[in-house]
Amino acid sequence: MDQAERLSALLSGEDDPIATLANAAAFLYQELDDLNWCGFYLFRAETGALTVGPFQGKPACTRIAVGRGVCGTAFARNESVRVGNVHEFAGHIACDGASNSELVVPLRDEDGVPFAVLDLDSPTLNRFSAEDQRRVEESAAIIEKRIRSI
Ligand code: SME
């Protein structure tokens, strides 16, 4: 089985969103080399902010305003943001000082409206290629179909 098939198999049969996101974060953290953080920020309508969800890595900032940092930018644009050097990204939020590159992919509902982002951080500059982005987007599509909202 390839990575997408194994992720689908792991997530099948469980509809609870926290369980799904927790196992998805753990799976991707194990599968992908050279990460120091992997997890989700969830949009909360009550606060209008992204709030940290299930993840692997060091404790992280709990809330990110829409439009702020790499996560808030990806969410506001509703598109993936791949950053080769986070220190050159205006507004980057340094949760873990070890992070040097980052890839953030939105998760969307049936109408294409984002409800969360998947955030991957690496200590290596330029860790994420265009092909990595494509694969992570494929994983995000599998995850969002399992939950669709949270
Ligand atoms: N660096 C992110 C913040 C989240 S942490 O990396 C876990 C950002 O700029 O949005």
Side-chain angles (χ1 to χ4, degrees), residues 55-142:
F55 70 93
Q56 303 271 304
K58 287 186 179 173
C61 35
T62 56
R63 295 188 187 198
I64 298 175
V66 173
R68 297 288 308 280
V70 186
C71 290
T73 299
F75 187 87
R77 292 183 188 164
N78 193 12
E79 65 184 27
S80 301
V81 177
R82 183 161 52 99
V83 181
N85 182 352
V86 295
H87 308 291
E88 294 175 352
F89 186 93
H92 167 251
I93 300 164
C95 286
D96 181 347
S99 298
N100 278 315
S101 63
E102 186 160 353
L103 172 62
V104 181
V105 175
L107 269 59
R108 306 174 176 101
D109 67 17
E110 294 89 337
D111 299 320
V113 177
F115 61 85
V117 295
L118 168 57
D119 179 18
L120 306 178
D121 287 44
S122 173
T124 301
L125 290 167
N126 300 306
R127 157 67 182 82
F128 304 104
S129 66
E131 174 61 14
D132 291 325
Q133 179 177 330
R134 191 195 65 72
R135 284 169 189 252
V136 173
E137 288 171 345
E138 187 179 22
S139 296
I142 292 166

Coordinates of all heavy atoms in Angstrom, one line a residue, residues 55-142:
F55 N -1.6 17.4 17.5 CA -0.3 17.6 16.9 C 0.8 16.7 17.5 O 0.5 16.1 18.5 CB 0.1 19.0 16.9 CG 0.5 19.5 18.3 CD1 1.8 19.5 18.7 CD2 -0.4 20.0 19.2 CE1 2.2 19.9 20.0 CE2 -0.1 20.4 20.5 CZ 1.2 20.4 20.9
Q56 N 1.9 16.6 16.8 CA 3.1 16.0 17.3 C 4.2 17.0 17.3 O 4.3 17.8 16.3 CB 3.5 14.8 16.4 CG 2.5 13.8 16.3 CD 2.5 12.7 17.3 OE1 3.6 12.0 17.5 NE2 1.4 12.4 18.0
G57 N 5.0 17.1 18.4 CA 6.1 18.0 18.4 C 6.0 18.8 19.7 O 5.3 18.4 20.7
K58 N 6.8 19.9 19.8 CA 6.9 20.6 21.1 C 5.6 21.4 21.2 O 4.9 21.7 20.3 CB 8.0 21.6 21.0 CG 9.4 20.9 21.2 CD 10.5 22.0 21.3 CE 11.8 21.3 21.5 NZ 12.9 22.2 21.4
P59 N 5.2 21.8 22.5 CA 4.1 22.6 22.7 C 4.1 23.9 21.8 O 5.2 24.4 21.6 CB 4.2 23.0 24.2 CG 5.0 21.9 24.8 CD 5.9 21.4 23.8
A60 N 2.9 24.3 21.3 CA 2.9 25.4 20.3 C 2.0 26.5 20.8 O 1.2 26.3 21.7 CB 2.4 24.8 19.0
C61 N 2.1 27.6 20.1 CA 1.2 28.7 20.4 C -0.3 28.2 20.1 O -0.5 27.4 19.2 CB 1.4 29.9 19.5 SG 2.0 29.6 17.8
T62 N -1.2 28.6 21.0 CA -2.5 28.0 21.0 C -3.4 28.7 20.0 O -4.3 28.1 19.4 CB -3.2 28.1 22.4 OG1 -3.2 29.4 22.8 CG2 -2.4 27.2 23.3
R63 N -3.3 30.0 19.8 CA -4.2 30.7 18.9 C -3.4 31.6 17.8 O -2.4 32.2 18.1 CB -5.1 31.7 19.6 CG -6.0 30.8 20.5 CD -7.0 31.7 21.2 NE -7.7 30.8 22.2 CZ -8.9 31.1 22.7 NH1 -9.5 32.3 22.3 NH2 -9.5 30.3 23.5
I64 N -3.9 31.5 16.6 CA -3.3 32.3 15.5 C -4.5 33.0 14.8 O -5.4 32.4 14.4 CB -2.6 31.4 14.5 CG1 -1.4 30.6 15.2 CG2 -2.1 32.1 13.3 CD1 -0.7 29.6 14.3
A65 N -4.3 34.3 14.7 CA -5.4 35.1 14.0 C -5.3 34.8 12.5 O -4.3 34.6 11.9 CB -5.1 36.6 14.2
V66 N -6.5 34.8 11.9 CA -6.6 34.6 10.4 C -5.8 35.7 9.8 O -6.0 36.9 10.1 CB -8.1 34.6 10.0 CG1 -8.2 34.6 8.5 CG2 -8.8 33.4 10.6
G67 N -5.0 35.3 8.8 CA -4.2 36.3 8.1 C -2.8 36.5 8.7 O -1.9 37.1 8.1
R68 N -2.6 35.9 9.9 CA -1.3 36.0 10.6 C -0.4 34.8 10.5 O -1.0 33.7 10.5 CB -1.5 36.3 12.1 CG -2.2 37.6 12.4 CD -1.3 38.8 12.1 NE 0.0 38.8 12.8 CZ 0.2 39.0 14.1 NH1 -0.8 39.4 14.8 NH2 1.5 39.0 14.6
G69 N 0.9 34.9 10.3 CA 1.8 33.8 10.2 C 1.5 33.0 9.0 O 0.7 33.3 8.1
V70 N 2.3 31.9 8.9 CA 2.1 31.0 7.7 C 0.7 30.3 7.7 O 0.0 30.2 6.7 CB 3.2 30.0 7.6 CG1 3.2 29.2 6.3 CG2 4.6 30.7 7.7
C71 N 0.4 29.9 8.9 CA -0.9 29.2 9.1 C -2.1 30.1 8.8 O -3.0 29.7 8.0 CB -1.1 28.6 10.5 SG 0.0 27.3 10.9
G72 N -2.1 31.3 9.4 CA -3.2 32.2 9.1 C -3.3 32.7 7.7 O -4.4 33.0 7.2
T73 N -2.1 32.8 7.1 CA -2.1 33.2 5.7 C -2.7 32.1 4.8 O -3.5 32.4 3.9 CB -0.6 33.5 5.2 OG1 -0.1 34.6 6.1 CG2 -0.5 33.9 3.8
A74 N -2.3 30.9 5.0 CA -2.8 29.8 4.2 C -4.3 29.7 4.4 O -5.1 29.5 3.4 CB -2.2 28.5 4.6
F75 N -4.8 29.9 5.6 CA -6.2 29.8 5.9 C -7.0 31.0 5.2 O -8.0 30.8 4.5 CB -6.5 29.9 7.4 CG -7.9 29.6 7.7 CD1 -8.4 28.3 7.9 CD2 -8.8 30.7 7.9 CE1 -9.7 28.1 8.2 CE2 -10.1 30.5 8.2 CZ -10.6 29.2 8.4
A76 N -6.4 32.2 5.3 CA -7.1 33.4 4.7 C -7.1 33.3 3.2 O -8.1 33.7 2.6 CB -6.4 34.6 5.2
R77 N -6.0 32.8 2.6 CA -6.0 32.6 1.1 C -6.7 31.4 0.6 O -6.9 31.2 -0.6 CB -4.5 32.6 0.7 CG -3.7 33.8 0.9 CD -2.3 33.6 0.3 NE -1.4 34.7 0.6 CZ -0.1 34.6 0.4 NH1 0.5 33.4 0.1 NH2 0.7 35.6 0.7
N78 N -7.0 30.5 1.6 CA -7.6 29.2 1.2 C -6.7 28.5 0.1 O -7.2 27.9 -0.9 CB -9.0 29.3 0.7 CG -9.7 28.0 0.6 OD1 -9.2 27.0 1.1 ND2 -10.9 28.0 0.0
E79 N -5.4 28.5 0.4 CA -4.5 27.8 -0.5 C -3.2 27.4 0.3 O -2.9 28.0 1.3 CB -4.1 28.7 -1.7 CG -3.3 29.9 -1.4 CD -3.0 30.8 -2.6 OE1 -3.8 30.7 -3.6 OE2 -2.0 31.5 -2.5
S80 N -2.5 26.4 -0.2 CA -1.3 26.0 0.4 C -0.2 27.0 0.4 O -0.1 27.8 -0.6 CB -0.7 24.7 -0.3 OG -1.7 23.7 -0.2
V81 N 0.6 27.1 1.5 CA 1.7 28.0 1.5 C 2.9 27.2 1.9 O 3.0 26.5 2.9 CB 1.5 29.2 2.5 CG1 2.7 30.1 2.6 CG2 0.3 30.0 2.2
R82 N 3.9 27.2 1.0 CA 5.2 26.5 1.2 C 6.3 27.5 1.3 O 6.5 28.3 0.4 CB 5.4 25.6 0.0 CG 6.6 24.7 0.0 CD 6.5 23.5 -0.9 NE 6.2 24.0 -2.3 CZ 7.1 24.2 -3.3 NH1 8.3 23.9 -3.0 NH2 6.7 24.6 -4.5
V83 N 7.0 27.4 2.5 CA 8.0 28.5 2.8 C 9.3 27.8 3.0 O 9.5 27.0 3.9 CB 7.6 29.2 4.1 CG1 8.6 30.3 4.4 CG2 6.2 29.9 3.9
G84 N 10.3 28.1 2.1 CA 11.6 27.5 2.2 C 12.4 27.9 3.4 O 13.2 27.2 3.9
N85 N 12.3 29.2 3.7 CA 13.0 29.8 4.9 C 12.0 30.7 5.7 O 11.7 31.8 5.2 CB 14.2 30.6 4.4 CG 15.0 31.2 5.5 OD1 14.6 31.1 6.7 ND2 16.1 31.8 5.2
V86 N 11.6 30.1 6.8 CA 10.5 30.9 7.5 C 11.1 32.2 8.1 O 10.3 33.1 8.3 CB 10.0 30.0 8.7 CG1 9.3 28.8 8.2 CG2 11.1 29.7 9.7
H87 N 12.4 32.4 8.2 CA 12.9 33.6 8.7 C 12.8 34.7 7.7 O 13.0 35.9 8.0 CB 14.4 33.4 9.1 CG 14.5 32.2 10.1 ND1 14.0 32.2 11.3 CD2 15.0 31.0 9.8 CE1 14.2 31.0 11.9 NE2 14.8 30.3 11.0
E88 N 12.5 34.4 6.5 CA 12.3 35.4 5.4 C 10.8 35.6 5.1 O 10.4 36.4 4.2 CB 13.0 35.0 4.1 CG 14.5 34.9 4.3 CD 15.2 34.4 3.1 OE1 14.5 33.9 2.1 OE2 16.5 34.5 3.0
F89 N 9.9 35.0 5.9 CA 8.5 35.1 5.7 C 8.0 36.2 6.7 O 8.0 36.0 7.9 CB 7.8 33.8 5.9 CG 6.3 33.8 5.6 CD1 5.8 33.4 4.4 CD2 5.4 34.2 6.6 CE1 4.5 33.4 4.1 CE2 4.0 34.2 6.3 CZ 3.6 33.9 5.0
A90 N 7.5 37.3 6.2 CA 7.0 38.4 7.0 C 5.9 37.9 7.9 O 4.9 37.4 7.3 CB 6.6 39.6 6.2
G91 N 6.0 38.0 9.2 CA 4.9 37.6 10.1 C 4.9 36.2 10.5 O 4.0 35.8 11.2
H92 N 6.0 35.5 10.1 CA 6.1 34.1 10.6 C 6.1 34.1 12.1 O 6.7 34.9 12.8 CB 7.4 33.5 10.1 CG 7.8 32.2 10.8 ND1 8.8 32.1 11.7 CD2 7.2 31.0 10.7 CE1 8.8 30.8 12.2 NE2 7.9 30.1 11.6
I93 N 5.3 33.1 12.7 CA 5.2 32.9 14.1 C 6.1 31.8 14.6 O 5.9 30.7 14.2 CB 3.7 32.7 14.5 CG1 2.8 33.8 14.0 CG2 3.6 32.4 16.0 CD1 1.3 33.4 14.0
A94 N 7.1 32.1 15.3 CA 8.1 31.1 15.8 C 7.6 30.4 17.0 O 7.8 30.9 18.1 CB 9.4 31.8 16.0
C95 N 7.0 29.2 16.8 CA 6.5 28.4 18.0 C 7.7 27.6 18.5 O 8.0 27.5 19.7 CB 5.4 27.5 17.6 SG 3.8 28.4 17.3
D96 N 8.4 26.9 17.6 CA 9.5 26.1 17.9 C 10.7 26.7 17.2 O 10.7 26.8 15.9 CB 9.3 24.7 17.4 CG 10.4 23.7 17.7 OD1 11.5 24.2 18.1 OD2 10.2 22.5 17.6
G97 N 11.7 27.2 17.9 CA 12.9 27.8 17.3 C 13.6 27.0 16.4 O 14.4 27.5 15.6
A98 N 13.4 25.6 16.4 CA 14.1 24.7 15.5 C 13.5 24.8 14.1 O 14.2 24.4 13.1 CB 14.0 23.3 16.0
S99 N 12.3 25.4 13.9 CA 11.7 25.4 12.6 C 12.5 26.3 11.6 O 12.7 27.5 11.9 CB 10.3 25.8 12.6 OG 9.5 25.0 13.4
N100 N 12.8 25.8 10.4 CA 13.4 26.6 9.4 C 12.6 26.7 8.1 O 12.7 27.6 7.3 CB 14.8 26.1 9.1 CG 15.8 26.7 10.1 OD1 15.8 27.8 10.5 ND2 16.7 25.8 10.6
S101 N 11.8 25.6 7.8 CA 10.9 25.6 6.7 C 9.6 25.1 7.1 O 9.4 24.4 8.1 CB 11.5 24.9 5.5 OG 11.7 23.5 5.8
E102 N 8.6 25.4 6.3 CA 7.2 25.1 6.7 C 6.3 24.9 5.5 O 6.5 25.5 4.4 CB 6.7 26.3 7.5 CG 5.3 26.1 8.2 CD 5.1 27.1 9.4 OE1 6.1 27.8 9.8 OE2 4.0 27.1 9.9
L103 N 5.3 24.0 5.7 CA 4.3 23.8 4.6 C 2.9 23.7 5.3 O 2.7 23.0 6.3 CB 4.6 22.4 3.9 CG 3.5 22.0 2.9 CD1 3.3 22.9 1.8 CD2 3.9 20.6 2.4
V104 N 2.0 24.6 4.9 CA 0.7 24.6 5.5 C -0.4 24.4 4.4 O -0.3 25.1 3.3 CB 0.4 26.0 6.2 CG1 -1.0 26.0 6.8 CG2 1.5 26.2 7.3
V105 N -1.3 23.5 4.6 CA -2.3 23.1 3.7 C -3.7 23.2 4.3 O -3.9 22.7 5.4 CB -2.1 21.7 3.2 CG1 -3.2 21.2 2.3 CG2 -0.7 21.5 2.5
P106 N -4.6 24.0 3.7 CA -6.0 24.1 4.3 C -6.8 22.8 4.1 O -6.6 22.0 3.2 CB -6.6 25.2 3.4 CG -5.6 25.7 2.5 CD -4.5 24.8 2.5
L107 N -7.7 22.6 5.1 CA -8.7 21.5 5.0 C -10.0 22.2 4.8 O -10.3 23.2 5.5 CB -8.8 20.7 6.4 CG -7.9 19.5 6.5 CD1 -6.4 19.8 6.3 CD2 -8.1 18.8 7.9
R108 N -10.8 21.7 3.9 CA -12.0 22.4 3.4 C -13.3 21.5 3.6 O -13.2 20.3 3.5 CB -11.9 22.8 2.0 CG -10.6 23.6 1.7 CD -10.5 23.8 0.2 NE -9.3 24.6 -0.1 CZ -8.1 24.2 -0.6 NH1 -8.0 22.9 -0.8 NH2 -7.2 25.0 -0.8
D109 N -14.4 22.2 3.8 CA -15.7 21.5 3.8 C -16.2 21.2 2.4 O -15.5 21.5 1.4 CB -16.7 22.3 4.7 CG -17.1 23.6 4.1 OD1 -16.9 23.8 2.9 OD2 -17.7 24.4 4.8
E110 N -17.4 20.7 2.3 CA -18.0 20.3 1.0 C -18.1 21.4 0.1 O -18.1 21.3 -1.1 CB -19.3 19.6 1.2 CG -19.4 18.3 1.9 CD -19.5 18.5 3.4 OE1 -19.2 19.6 4.0 OE2 -20.0 17.5 4.1
D111 N -18.2 22.7 0.6 CA -18.4 23.8 -0.2 C -17.0 24.5 -0.5 O -17.0 25.6 -1.1 CB -19.3 24.9 0.5 CG -20.7 24.3 0.7 OD1 -21.2 23.6 -0.2 OD2 -21.2 24.5 1.8
G112 N -15.9 23.9 -0.1 CA -14.6 24.4 -0.4 C -14.2 25.5 0.6 O -13.2 26.2 0.4
V113 N -15.0 25.7 1.7 CA -14.6 26.7 2.7 C -13.7 26.0 3.7 O -13.9 25.0 4.2 CB -15.9 27.1 3.4 CG1 -15.6 28.1 4.5 CG2 -16.9 27.7 2.4
P114 N -12.5 26.7 4.0 CA -11.6 26.1 4.9 C -12.1 26.1 6.4 O -12.8 27.0 6.8 CB -10.3 27.0 4.8 CG -10.8 28.3 4.4 CD -12.1 28.0 3.5
F115 N -11.8 25.0 7.1 CA -12.2 24.9 8.5 C -11.0 24.6 9.4 O -11.1 24.6 10.6 CB -13.3 23.9 8.8 CG -13.0 22.5 8.4 CD1 -12.3 21.6 9.3 CD2 -13.3 22.0 7.1 CE1 -12.0 20.3 8.9 CE2 -13.0 20.6 6.8 CZ -12.3 19.8 7.7
A116 N -9.8 24.4 8.8 CA -8.6 24.0 9.5 C -7.4 24.1 8.6 O -7.6 24.2 7.4 CB -8.7 22.6 10.1
V117 N -6.2 24.0 9.2 CA -5.0 23.9 8.3 C -4.2 22.8 8.9 O -4.2 22.5 10.1 CB -4.2 25.2 8.3 CG1 -4.9 26.3 7.5 CG2 -3.7 25.6 9.6
L118 N -3.5 22.1 8.0 CA -2.5 21.1 8.4 C -1.1 21.8 8.3 O -0.8 22.4 7.2 CB -2.5 19.9 7.4 CG -1.4 18.9 7.5 CD1 -1.2 18.3 8.9 CD2 -1.7 17.8 6.4
D119 N -0.3 21.8 9.4 CA 0.9 22.5 9.4 C 2.1 21.6 9.6 O 2.1 20.8 10.6 CB 0.9 23.5 10.6 CG 2.1 24.3 10.8 OD1 2.9 24.4 9.8 OD2 2.3 24.9 11.9
L120 N 3.1 21.6 8.7 CA 4.3 20.8 8.9 C 5.5 21.7 9.0 O 5.6 22.6 8.2 CB 4.5 19.9 7.6 CG 3.3 19.0 7.2 CD1 3.7 18.2 5.9 CD2 3.0 18.0 8.3
D121 N 6.3 21.5 10.0 CA 7.5 22.3 10.2 C 8.7 21.4 10.1 O 8.7 20.2 10.6 CB 7.5 22.9 11.6 CG 6.6 24.1 11.7 OD1 5.4 23.9 11.2 OD2 7.0 25.1 12.3
S122 N 9.8 21.9 9.6 CA 11.1 21.1 9.5 C 12.3 22.0 9.9 O 12.3 23.2 9.7 CB 11.3 20.7 8.0 OG 12.6 20.2 7.9
P123 N 13.3 21.4 10.6 CA 14.5 22.1 10.9 C 15.4 22.4 9.7 O 16.3 23.1 9.9 CB 15.2 21.2 11.9 CG 14.7 19.8 11.6 CD 13.3 20.0 11.0
T124 N 15.1 21.8 8.6 CA 15.9 21.9 7.4 C 15.4 23.0 6.5 O 14.2 23.0 6.1 CB 16.0 20.6 6.7 OG1 16.6 19.6 7.6 CG2 16.8 20.6 5.4
L125 N 16.2 23.9 6.0 CA 15.8 24.9 5.0 C 15.3 24.2 3.7 O 16.0 23.2 3.3 CB 16.9 25.8 4.7 CG 17.3 26.8 5.8 CD1 18.7 27.5 5.5 CD2 16.2 27.9 6.0
N126 N 14.3 24.7 3.1 CA 13.8 24.1 1.8 C 13.5 22.6 1.9 O 13.7 21.9 0.9 CB 14.8 24.4 0.7 CG 15.1 25.9 0.5 OD1 14.1 26.6 0.3 ND2 16.3 26.3 0.6
R127 N 13.0 22.2 3.0 CA 12.7 20.8 3.2 C 11.6 20.3 2.3 O 11.6 19.1 1.8 CB 12.3 20.5 4.7 CG 11.4 19.3 5.0 CD 12.2 18.0 4.8 NE 11.4 16.8 5.0 CZ 10.6 16.3 4.1 NH1 10.4 16.8 2.9 NH2 9.9 15.2 4.4
F128 N 10.6 21.1 1.9 CA 9.4 20.7 1.2 C 9.5 21.0 -0.3 O 9.6 22.2 -0.6 CB 8.2 21.3 1.8 CG 8.1 20.9 3.3 CD1 8.3 21.9 4.3 CD2 7.7 19.7 3.7 CE1 8.2 21.6 5.6 CE2 7.6 19.4 5.1 CZ 7.9 20.4 6.0
S129 N 9.5 20.0 -1.1 CA 9.4 20.2 -2.6 C 8.0 20.4 -3.1 O 7.0 20.1 -2.3 CB 10.1 19.0 -3.2 OG 9.3 17.9 -3.0
A130 N 7.9 20.7 -4.3 CA 6.5 20.8 -4.9 C 5.9 19.4 -4.9 O 4.7 19.3 -4.7 CB 6.6 21.3 -6.4
E131 N 6.7 18.3 -5.0 CA 6.1 17.0 -5.0 C 5.7 16.7 -3.5 O 4.6 16.0 -3.3 CB 7.2 16.0 -5.4 CG 6.8 14.5 -5.3 CD 5.5 14.1 -6.1 OE1 5.1 14.9 -6.9 OE2 5.0 13.0 -5.8
D132 N 6.4 17.1 -2.5 CA 6.0 16.9 -1.1 C 4.6 17.7 -0.9 O 3.7 17.1 -0.3 CB 7.0 17.5 -0.2 CG 8.3 16.8 -0.1 OD1 8.3 15.5 -0.2 OD2 9.4 17.4 0.0
Q133 N 4.5 18.9 -1.5 CA 3.3 19.6 -1.3 C 2.1 18.9 -1.9 O 1.1 18.7 -1.3 CB 3.4 21.0 -2.0 CG 2.2 21.8 -1.9 CD 2.3 23.2 -2.5 OE1 3.4 23.8 -2.5 NE2 1.2 23.7 -3.0
R134 N 2.4 18.3 -3.1 CA 1.3 17.5 -3.8 C 0.8 16.3 -2.9 O -0.3 16.1 -2.7 CB 1.8 17.0 -5.1 CG 0.7 16.4 -6.0 CD 1.2 15.6 -7.2 NE 2.0 14.5 -6.7 CZ 1.4 13.4 -6.2 NH1 0.1 13.3 -6.1 NH2 2.1 12.3 -5.9
R135 N 1.8 15.6 -2.3 CA 1.5 14.5 -1.5 C 0.8 14.9 -0.2 O -0.2 14.2 0.3 CB 2.8 13.7 -1.1 CG 3.3 12.9 -2.2 CD 4.7 12.4 -1.8 NE 5.4 11.8 -2.9 CZ 5.6 10.5 -3.0 NH1 5.2 9.7 -2.0 NH2 6.2 9.9 -4.0
V136 N 1.2 16.0 0.4 CA 0.6 16.5 1.7 C -0.9 16.9 1.3 O -1.8 16.7 2.1 CB 1.4 17.5 2.4 CG1 0.7 18.1 3.6 CG2 2.7 16.9 2.8
E137 N -1.0 17.6 0.2 CA -2.4 18.0 -0.2 C -3.3 16.8 -0.4 O -4.5 16.8 -0.1 CB -2.3 18.9 -1.5 CG -1.8 20.2 -1.2 CD -1.5 21.1 -2.5 OE1 -1.4 20.5 -3.6 OE2 -1.3 22.3 -2.3
E138 N -2.7 15.7 -1.0 CA -3.4 14.4 -1.1 C -3.8 13.9 0.3 O -5.0 13.5 0.5 CB -2.5 13.4 -1.9 CG -3.2 12.1 -2.2 CD -2.3 11.2 -3.0 OE1 -1.0 11.3 -2.8 OE2 -2.8 10.3 -3.7
S139 N -2.9 14.0 1.2 CA -3.2 13.5 2.6 C -4.3 14.4 3.2 O -5.3 13.9 3.8 CB -2.0 13.6 3.5 OG -1.0 12.7 3.0
A140 N -4.2 15.7 3.0 CA -5.2 16.6 3.5 C -6.6 16.3 2.9 O -7.6 16.4 3.6 CB -4.8 18.1 3.3
A141 N -6.6 16.0 1.7 CA -7.9 15.7 1.0 C -8.5 14.4 1.6 O -9.8 14.3 1.8 CB -7.7 15.5 -0.5
I142 N -7.7 13.4 2.0 CA -8.2 12.2 2.7 C -8.8 12.6 4.0 O -9.8 12.1 4.4 CB -7.1 11.2 2.8 CG1 -6.7 10.7 1.4 CG2 -7.5 10.0 3.7 CD1 -5.4 9.9 1.3

